[in-house]
Amino acid sequence: MIAKFKNGGQKMIVTERNSTTKALRRIRQILDSGSFMEIGEHITARLTDFYTPEKVEASDGVITGYGTIGGHLVYVFSQDGEVMGGSFGEMHGRKINRLYRLAIKAKAPVIGFLDSSGLRVEEGLDSLDAFGQLYALEAEASRQILQIMAICGSCSGGMTVVADMADIVLSDSEHLSDQIRTLIDLLPANASQYPEQGPCSDDLNRQLSGLEKKRGDGREILRALSDMNFFFELKQSCGRDMIIGFMRLNGTAVGGIATQAIDSGGKISPEGFEKAAAFIDLCGKLHIPLLTVTDAKRFEGSQQAGRLVKALTAASVPKINLIAGEILGSGYSILNSKGVGADYVFIWDCGAVSLIDPLQAAEILYPQAELAFLQKRAEDYRKTHCSPMALARHGYVDKIIKPEDSRKFILGAFETFANTREVRQ
């Protein structure tokens, strides 16, 4: 259908939106068949002194609406890079902003497909104001609902802020649709819901033979612990010394965080701390329990380490720590120790925690001693101050376990919080 309007003596033709556009296909690929209800289909760009085209396309470069994923309500917008580069204009922004207001009111997740060259220069200040409103709505939504953004093309200018403010950011790939559907099925829609306990076909007491050989590889330890080795990793490209993602234990979503000593030499970076802290904030908002797997000898960035501590202490969800290697210094205190609020702490029988290296401790305590004496005292220091038994005797760990028994003990500890779960509506 073609409609004609008059504007300043010129004819403007409004054309029907292309029904085969990538922007629409992305929406249909993630939603249940036949569930999409489009909002604002016929909205067009407002003309300005610098924008008086003879032809404009309906929808103004962004498709908005709602539908279901696995029966769960979601609100979705998809920018169309084929219409003015997906640029963010006044009406384009108004459509997204209205979608956000509806999603917040409905307590439903927002999913955004980003493909935009940034602000629409032809519209000037009106575009800027719409951007400001969107930022404010995202900030409001961050306290209430799940927000997932997928970068499917260009993401320039102010749209980078939109992406960074989301809870989860994904990149375009052949698995994108499946990833989004998995997240919606796994996670609560809003901050008033709790994770749903789904079926679990895995053995709850499954032995993890050979797990000690994966010491230092937090990613593989989390995967081995999870039901059917499921692990949905996030932010793989940044802070590689820290692994974050979602796992399942007895059918329930758990946030997994692990140091990645084999890739970092046992050091945690400021970026790694920030990555983990933001993930803890998300899990806290959605009432998702936390499991940390720790193995670190040093760290950088006291400010970022403090950010992690604040996130851990603010999260009121169940928190369990598994010490799966050797931890030196205050890294032990920072990384989900009992002192910062861990509910349960387990340690492998091959693990260790020390204030400093035992030989260095002996050198400090006996500065004039010969090497043989220092080595003997260092071994004594290790047994009395660093061993798993030393920690257990002081009450800093709840149980010393064999690596192969890790799944059953961790799962059992999380099950003690079963009465705190609420039904997902």
Side-chain angles (χ1 to χ4, degrees):
M1 179 178 70
I2 297 177
K4 297 184 179 181
F5 301 88
K6 294 282 188 177
N7 183 67
Q10 295 181 330
K11 287 184 177 180
M12 182 184 72
I13 301 175
V14 180
T15 62
E16 214 170 59
R17 190 195 60 238
N18 184 353
S19 61
T20 62
T21 182
K22 289 180 182 177
L24 185 57
R25 287 205 303 273
R26 293 184 190 116
I27 292 175
R28 288 175 173 165
Q29 285 170 356
I30 66 165
L31 296 183
D32 298 337
S33 178
S35 71
F36 182 52
M37 167 64 184
E38 186 169 356
I39 303 170
E41 179 179 358
H42 302 292
I43 289 176
T44 59
R46 200 160 58 86
L47 302 186
T48 71
D49 292 340
F50 296 97
Y51 183 59
T52 56
E54 293 185 358
K55 181 186 293 185
V56 294
E57 189 167 336
S59 293
D60 197 28
V62 63
I63 301 171
T64 58
Y66 62 85
T68 60
I69 293 178
H72 300 297
L73 174 67
V74 297
Y75 282 79
V76 60
F77 71 88
S78 182
Q79 293 179 309
D80 191 344
E82 298 171 4
V83 177
M84 297 187 71
S87 58
F88 190 99
E90 178 193 8
M91 303 308 290
H92 181 116
R94 283 189 182 183
K95 289 181 67 176
I96 298 176
N97 294 348
R98 179 166 184 252
L99 183 90
Y100 256 95
R101 292 186 183 97
L102 291 168
I104 292 170
K105 190 171 184 177
K107 296 184 178 181
V110 170
I111 300 167
F113 293 100
L114 308 184
D115 185 3
S116 172
S117 56
L119 282 168
R120 188 173 299 168
V121 177
E122 295 90 341
E123 297 187 20
L125 296 177
D126 292 330
S127 296
L128 285 172
D129 182 69
F131 245 139
Q133 291 182 41
L134 176 55
Y135 296 155
L137 285 164
E138 272 200 280
E140 181 183 353
S142 70
R143 299 184 291 270
Q144 301 181 51
I145 61 174
L146 176 64
Q147 299 177 79
I148 300 172
M149 297 293 161
I151 299 175
C152 299
S154 177
C155 184
S156 305
M159 292 309 300
T160 60
V161 180
V162 173
D164 287 341
M165 289 180 71
D167 295 313
I168 297 171
V169 181
L170 304 173
S171 297
D172 198 6
S173 73
E174 61 180 320
H175 305 296
L176 179 61
S177 298
D178 290 336
Q179 289 176 331
I180 293 174
R181 290 184 65 88
T182 295
L183 287 170
I184 295 298
D185 177 66
L186 183 68
L187 305 179
N190 58 62
S192 63
Q193 294 181 354
Y194 284 68
E196 210 173 45
Q197 183 168 18
C200 176
S201 57
D202 200 349
D203 182 356
L204 303 183
N205 298 310
R206 174 165 51 89
Q207 289 285 290
L208 307 177
S209 59
L211 188 62
E212 71 279 359
K213 297 178 182 177
K214 297 179 180 179
R215 177 173 170 170
D217 191 342
R219 178 184 291 110
E220 288 305 310
I221 293 173
L222 290 173
R223 184 173 285 121
L225 291 168
S226 184
D227 297 349
M228 307 303 293
N229 304 124
F230 168 83
F231 185 59
F232 194 110
E233 187 172 353
L234 300 172
K235 296 185 178 179
Q236 291 177 264
S237 62
C238 68
R240 294 177 183 270
D241 48 274
M242 193 75 80
I243 305 299
I244 62 169
F246 296 109
M247 52 196 297
R248 287 191 179 101
L249 288 175
N250 195 16
T252 301
V254 171
I257 302 171
T259 55
Q260 188 71 357
I262 62 168
D263 292 339
S264 65
K267 181 180 74 174
I268 305 175
S269 68
E271 192 176 26
F273 278 129
E274 284 285 355
K275 173 179 170 179
F279 182 67
I280 292 168
D281 288 342
L282 172 60
C283 290
K285 178 177 81 170
L286 299 178
H287 309 288
I288 297 171
L290 287 165
L291 169 66
T292 54
V293 176
T294 53
D295 181 1
K297 295 182 179 179
R298 61 190 189 280
F299 68 88
E300 296 177 351
S302 57
Q303 182 177 0
Q304 292 80 9
R307 162 94 167 87
L308 177 67
V309 171
K310 288 179 181 178
L312 281 168
T313 55
S316 59
V317 298
K319 296 184 284 282
I320 294 176
N321 185 27
L322 171 65
I323 300 172
E326 184 177 2
I327 306 179
L328 292 179
S330 56
Y332 159 76
S333 303
I334 294 166
L335 294 168
N336 200 20
S337 66
K338 281 195 176 183
V340 297
D343 296 296
Y344 294 102
V345 177
F346 298 98
I347 187 170
W348 282 357
D349 55 10
C350 56
V353 175
S354 177
L355 179 65
I356 59 173
D357 179 81
L359 184 58
Q360 289 179 320
E363 290 172 344
I364 292 171
L365 294 170
Y366 307 99
Q368 307 300 323
E370 295 182 356
L371 179 60
F373 178 82
L374 290 174
Q375 289 175 334
K376 182 180 184 306
R377 296 305 291 160
E379 185 58 29
D380 293 339
Y381 187 90
R382 185 184 303 276
K383 291 178 180 178
T384 58
H385 288 77
C386 312
S387 68
M389 186 57 69
L391 271 85
R393 284 173 177 162
H394 285 84
Y396 299 136
V397 300
D398 294 294
K399 191 169 184 64
I400 303 167
I401 63 175
K402 295 179 180 179
E404 59 266 30
D405 293 331
S406 298
R407 175 174 161 85
K408 71 176 183 180
F409 281 113
I410 290 170
L411 196 150
F414 274 125
E415 283 301 304
T416 65
F417 299 101
N419 290 340
T420 66
R421 299 175 192 148
E422 293 187 8
V423 177
R424 178 176 172 183
Q425 300 296 326

